[in-house]
Amino acid sequence: MGGQHGFGSLQIESGEPPFHHEWEARVFALNRFMLRSGRYTLDEFRAAVESMPPAEYLAASYYERWLHGIERLVREKGVLDVRPG
Amino acid sequence: MSHVHDGAHESSHESSAGAANRVKTLVAALEAANVLTERELDETVESFLAHAQPANGARVVARAWVDDAFRERLLADGNAAVAELGIDLAHWAPVRLRVVANGPGRHNLIVCTLCSCYPLALLGPSPTWYKSDAYRSRAVRDPRGILAEFGTHVDAGVEITVWDSTAEVRYLVLPERPAGTESLSETELEALVTRNGLIGTALV
């Protein structure tokens, strides 16, 4: 996003909580857990978030972008696939 | 352009509820596949919030202010120096810490234009403005304008260097020790250090 125009002024919230919704904390935890357990790498996660279609990306909140990345990697890496016996 | 900005900033109630449901579905599926448990996720957040604190960054800075040898080690190899204080930077993945010092005629500002890379272990959870499209797009183009929005004035003669974080390299600003603090203890100095001072959006 570096150098792009048109994103307006900053909104600075004083005394901001770490997360604004419980699901955001869950998304944060999911990503941390997946990274730490080696399900995917940080680069893969960044690539998954950055490859969102631009319109979707711009319309999504920060943790919605993360959720998109996690869902995509869970699919791509077959994390939910049942392993043979 | 305001339509882009509004959409990008905070999710609407509707999309937030949608995301909450997607998270619930995903967690249930991962639990059913024996990948993780809800309890493990709760513990992940609790442990992160307990360990990743701006107080860690403040300790590092106060030590550098009182100990010149530590300051030199910190600027030369951030990871090794903070490890001396018992701070582990390898939170998500191994990262290299580069500490950049403010000084006469020199101010530093940190951003992550690609996403939101940030020295979490030293600063705690990052604020929403740091992750916002507005900050990420403009910090590299108009750093003085960004600083002004924080009420931070840096003289025109002071050179501002903007550091763009990556997955591998995280930056921390070492602010100048405020004048008139010679008699303060290290603990008292720690109390002067603010999170924004370590990102460079405030002076200390």
Side-chain angles (χ1 to χ4, degrees), chain B residues 52-65:
Chain B
Q53 298 272 347
N56 289 333
R59 271 169 65 214
V60 171
V61 166
R63 177 63 57 86
W65 283 346

Side-chain angles (χ1 to χ4, degrees), chain B residues 40-83:
Chain B
E40 282 173 314
L41 291 179
D42 289 342
E43 283 169 357
T44 299
V45 174
E46 281 160 26
S47 143
F48 166 73
L49 292 176
H51 291 102
Q53 298 272 347
N56 289 333
R59 271 169 65 214
V60 171
V61 166
R63 177 63 57 86
W65 283 346
V66 301
D67 181 342
D68 285 341
F70 178 79
R71 179 193 158 95
E72 272 178 40
R73 294 198 296 279
L74 182 65
L75 295 177
D77 181 348
N79 296 60
V82 303

Side-chain angles (χ1 to χ4, degrees), chain A residues 10-81:
Chain A
L10 297 178
Q11 301 200 4
I12 304 164
E13 183 183 346
S14 64
E16 182 179 352
F19 303 102
H20 290 82
H21 303 281
E22 216 167 284
W23 69 264
E24 293 183 344
R26 271 286 158 92
V27 166
F28 180 92
L30 274 169
N31 192 36
R32 197 174 169 83
F33 189 92
M34 294 294 188
L35 285 166
R36 287 202 146 175
S37 54
R39 299 282 182 171
Y40 52 76
T41 68
L42 189 51
D43 288 331
E44 288 171 331
F45 175 67
R46 281 166 58 121
V49 171
E50 292 302 312
S51 61
M52 265 177 102
E56 233 177 276
Y57 180 90
L58 291 171
S61 73
Y62 182 74
Y63 284 111
E64 283 170 353
R65 294 172 185 171
W66 275 37
L67 176 57
H68 172 95
I70 297 166
E71 287 172 337
R72 183 185 170 129
L73 286 167
V74 162
R75 269 198 315 275
E76 283 181 4
K77 299 275 179 182
V79 173
L80 294 174
D81 296 352

Side-chain angles (χ1 to χ4, degrees), chain A residues 26 30 33-34 39 74 79-80 82, chain B residues 23-42:
Chain A
R26 271 286 158 92
L30 274 169
F33 189 92
M34 294 294 188
R39 299 282 182 171
V74 162
V79 173
L80 294 174
V82 178
Chain B
V23 171
K24 207 178 259 180
T25 306
L26 178 59
V27 170
L30 289 167
E31 214 167 4
N34 290 320
V35 174
L36 48 75
T37 65
E38 289 204 47
R39 170 136 190 83
E40 282 173 314
L41 291 179
D42 289 342

Side-chain angles (χ1 to χ4, degrees), chain B residues 91-173:
Chain B
H91 35 101
W92 299 95
V95 293
R96 191 160 75 79
L97 175 69
R98 174 142 181 222
V99 179
V100 289
N102 290 347
R106 185 174 170 81
H107 184 79
N108 294 283
L109 181 68
I110 294 169
V111 66
C112 174
T113 60
L114 181 62
C115 46
S116 60
C117 293
Y118 187 79
L120 290 166
L122 296 167
L123 296 182
S126 58
T128 297
W129 60 256
Y130 184 85
K131 300 177 279 211
S132 71
D133 298 340
Y135 184 76
R136 291 163 48 205
S137 61
R138 199 142 51 82
V140 287
R141 179 162 49 78
D142 178 23
R144 280 176 210 277
I146 288 283
L147 292 180
E149 287 185 48
F150 284 89
T152 300
H153 175 76
V154 175
D155 285 338
V158 173
E159 187 179 73
I160 300 177
T161 306
V162 182
W163 301 89
D164 195 358
S165 312
T166 68
E168 293 82 26
V169 184
R170 305 301 161 87
Y171 297 92
L172 183 80
V173 174

